[in-house]
Amino acid sequence: MKKILLFVCCILFVSLANAQNNTKDTLYKIAVFAPIYLDTVFKGNTFTVNDNSLPKNILPGLDFYHGVMMAIDSLEKENIKVEVLFFDSKSKMDPLNKVFAKKIWDSVSLIIASFKDRSEIKSMADFALLKKIPLINATFPNDGGVTDNPNFILLNTGLKSHCEGIYKHIQKYYSTGNLVYIMRKGNSEEEILKTFNSLSKNTPSIPLKYKVVQLTDTFTTRQLQTVLDSSKQNIVFCGTVNESFGIRLVQALQNSKKYSSVAIGMPTWDGIKEFNKTTATDEWTKGIEIIYSTPYLFSRNSFLDKKLAAQYKNKHQARGSDWFYKGYETMFYFTKTLVKYKSNFINNLSNSEFRLFNEFDIQPVFATKESTAPNYLENKKLYFIKKQDGVIKSWN
């Protein structure tokens, strides 16, 4: 691990051969940013963590880096000629303003970033726009207040698009049940409700009929039961990204045995470990069907999933997280797209030719219907995961 961290500490220049005729003499330069926090574990070249274990805040960015590096190995086997510049976006010795001042950017063709904080996004997006370099935001957080920037590409679908997708999903599969919209007090929650109400007013299909109920963070099962119907299937939507509230809602539904219920939640439910428990001691999740949306689906069962998992385990003696797969997919897919469609890269972002795990449906997002220039480009493709008894039953 120490060797890996020392290696990451520098900008990495990885030159790979190229076998494609149309780019034979072209060297593509790609900059990659991820939050590694090297300054917190190194003083100079000295590893400062006494027990040689890494702080948790380092692990997501480091796993993203591992995915990028493994993708570079795969590209090398295909003789793709590219130069990769890797930056620790949390470096105190080399902060973003110092990185942006380097004399490298006129030859950079693409920026891939895994952000940690929303505050970082706008400055990097503004810089990418100034330099006319496409910037791919591969992970959450999302837009960071970016506007009027057709070079900013959001892979992790925004909250409004999730709401739109969830509304249509309920409309298609669950419109005949007792629809209950559960929310808590908060600005984000009001925006989610506003989006749902707007969709109801503007949908070309039959609008959903749902009861809106606001509960406190300490609501009881009895309070929830007052809006459930024992004669119908209850479709209960959780209109908040707050994970603790979502857990409480699912637990309350499980405690309401006489009510048939489906719990539908926001993309934050993908990271709730309590929804993955399958042992006999975790009975409170048993029987409740849980559905949520996500732009990423790593099944871990495909040939490529298993191959990468084996390579990761052999190299790092551990199991790769979704951050690893996101790093691999983003680096491989968009490098291949860049090499083939250099002059028309932006218009081929959703090309399925190089698909690995996920489909991308990247579309322009406009501030208003009258806007002529997009605020940014966003991946609109969503998967809907259905879990029951702690395991994934299906997705679509």
Side-chain angles (χ1 to χ4, degrees), residues 11 29 57 125 131 148 160 168 175 195 215 237 249 272 285 289 303 313 315 318 377 381 385 387 390:
I11 298 175
K29 189 178 289 185
N57 66 328
K131 292 294 185 179
D148 300 321
K160 184 178 179 181
K168 292 176 183 177
S175 61
T195 299
L215 298 175
F237 173 67
L249 178 60
I272 296 179
T285 61
E289 201 168 76
F303 173 78
K313 185 175 182 180
K315 202 167 188 178
L377 306 180
K381 173 64 181 180
I385 309 298
K387 285 184 178 179

Side-chain angles (χ1 to χ4, degrees), residues 14-78:
V14 184
S15 296
L16 308 177
N18 189 329
Q20 297 196 22
N21 295 330
N22 61 335
T23 56
K24 184 176 180 180
D25 299 317
T26 304
L27 179 67
Y28 295 90
K29 189 178 289 185
I30 300 173
V32 179
F33 290 82
I36 308 292
Y37 295 92
L38 288 175
D39 297 334
T40 65
V41 293
F42 276 95
K43 188 173 183 179
N45 289 332
T46 304
F47 190 57
T48 57
V49 179
N50 293 331
D51 59 358
N52 284 333
S53 63
L54 294 173
K56 289 184 178 180
N57 66 328
I58 284 179
L59 300 180
L62 187 59
D63 237 13
F64 187 84
Y65 162 77
H66 288 325
V68 168
M69 294 306 296
M70 198 170 289
I72 291 171
D73 290 341
S74 298
L75 291 165
E76 185 176 22
K77 292 175 183 176
E78 295 189 17

Side-chain angles (χ1 to χ4, degrees), residues 280-347:
T281 58
D282 296 306
E283 289 294 319
W284 71 266
T285 61
K286 189 174 179 60
I288 290 294
E289 201 168 76
I290 298 171
I291 297 171
Y292 59 86
S293 58
T294 176
Y296 288 107
L297 178 62
F298 301 107
S299 68
R300 310 296 176 97
N301 291 318
S302 70
F303 173 78
L304 181 58
D305 278 297
K306 292 178 180 179
K307 179 181 177 182
L308 292 177
Q311 290 177 351
Y312 187 97
K313 185 175 182 180
N314 181 59
K315 202 167 188 178
H316 307 296
Q317 291 74 54
R319 183 176 183 268
S321 69
D322 280 1
W323 294 86
F324 162 72
Y325 289 95
K326 289 174 184 177
Y328 184 94
E329 179 173 54
T330 307
M331 185 69 203
F332 186 90
Y333 179 95
F334 290 104
T335 297
K336 293 273 286 187
T337 304
L338 175 67
V339 169
K340 183 168 184 178
Y341 299 103
K342 174 64 171 67
S343 60
N344 200 23
F345 175 74
I346 289 293
N347 293 321

Side-chain angles (χ1 to χ4, degrees), residues 203-221:
T203 179
S205 302
I206 299 174
L208 294 175
K209 294 181 180 180
Y210 48 89
K211 292 174 284 190
V212 179
V213 181
Q214 182 173 302
L215 298 175
T216 66
D217 289 346
T218 57
F219 73 89
T220 65
T221 298

Side-chain angles (χ1 to χ4, degrees), residues 25 45 69 81 96 103 117 125 139-140 142 161 192 205 216 236 238 242 261 277 319 324 369 387:
D25 299 317
N45 289 332
M69 294 306 296
K81 191 174 184 181
L96 291 182
K103 295 180 179 180
D117 299 311
T139 58
F140 183 84
N142 294 326
S161 295
I192 294 171
S205 302
T216 66
V236 183
C238 184
N242 184 282
S261 302
K277 293 178 179 179
R319 183 176 183 268
F324 162 72
K369 291 182 179 179
K387 285 184 178 179

